[in-house]
Amino acid sequence: MAIRQRDLVMNEVADAADFMISIKRPGSGLVVVDSNHDLGLEKYIREGRYRGDGANFRDGLKLDDAYLEHRGRVARALDQNEEPPSFSMFEFAARGLRPGDLGDVRWVHDGKSHTIDGVECGHHGFRGANGAKGTVAGFARIGRKLSIADKHSPEIMDGVYVAGCMKLSHGYNKGPSSWA
């Protein structure tokens, strides 16, 4: 990653935030659905892996502090028999880097719903029912129209619409593929 100048976590977050800013259009809302990719940042912080990653240590501490604050809010809500608040580490980091530019972006946190014309668009597709891995066939059995993007290969099955991917070559995917 260092060879490609991609060893700083917050630079990666800034690139993602800049992409979001670049695709925003007046009069239309931008909605970001948490994905397994976004949750990777939270896992990196939760597991404390930034502690051995000198270039990312200070930013890791800031994100860890934000995560601890969130866990405190969750604990207080549960103690009061209230709905615990949701949190996206990626959202926190991106908004911290581009506070004015992302103010009107709506985040759909992991496990939350976002429907458009009766189609559930709030799930990336990596989580399935009852803790299982998300599959197109599994989502089709739910009986609700869904639009997901986790599978990289476009597909339609019984009201489940799967987006393809924006970039076909990532360096790790080689040989024949159904990605599109």
Side-chain angles (χ1 to χ4, degrees):
M1 295 297 266
I3 292 171
R4 295 172 56 206
Q5 304 293 314
R6 296 179 67 185
D7 55 338
L8 298 176
V9 170
M10 294 307 278
N11 284 356
E12 294 293 301
V13 172
D15 286 348
D18 290 341
F19 173 75
M20 287 183 264
I21 293 164
S22 77
I23 63 171
K24 286 180 14 177
R25 298 292 177 259
S28 65
L30 181 62
V31 178
V32 176
V33 176
D34 266 345
S35 74
N36 50 314
H37 307 272
D38 305 331
L39 296 177
L41 175 60
E42 182 179 310
K43 184 177 181 182
Y44 172 78
I45 298 302
R46 265 195 350 258
E47 293 176 350
R49 294 194 330 249
Y50 67 88
R51 293 182 187 128
D53 189 0
N56 292 299
F57 185 75
R58 284 189 189 277
D59 289 323
L61 285 173
K62 293 175 190 171
L63 296 176
D64 205 355
D65 187 53
Y67 185 72
L68 290 171
E69 287 289 327
H70 163 67
R71 295 306 307 164
R73 288 190 299 274
V74 167
R76 287 187 292 280
L78 292 173
D79 287 346
Q80 297 173 9
N81 293 318
E82 296 174 356
E83 177 78 20
S86 61
F87 178 77
S88 166
M89 182 70 69
F90 175 62
E91 176 188 13
F92 176 84
R95 287 191 192 280
L97 291 172
R98 305 288 187 267
D101 295 321
L102 297 176
D104 57 345
V105 174
R106 178 170 185 257
W107 250 267
V108 181
H109 295 167
D110 186 31
K112 301 299 180 181
S113 175
H114 178 72
T115 59
I116 300 172
D117 294 332
V119 178
E120 177 57 61
C121 299
H123 299 289
H124 180 61
F126 66 101
R127 292 193 195 278
N130 299 318
K133 180 181 174 186
T135 65
V136 178
F139 290 129
R141 285 192 294 274
I142 293 173
R144 183 172 189 187
K145 289 184 178 180
L146 287 140
S147 176
I148 62 172
D150 182 58
K151 308 306 169 207
H152 302 171
S153 299
E155 182 177 351
I156 300 172
M157 177 188 282
D158 297 333
V160 178
Y161 298 81
V162 185
C165 52
M166 291 177 63
K167 185 177 176 187
L168 297 178
S169 178
H170 293 271
Y172 59 83
N173 56 322
K174 297 178 173 43
S177 173
S178 62
W179 287 20

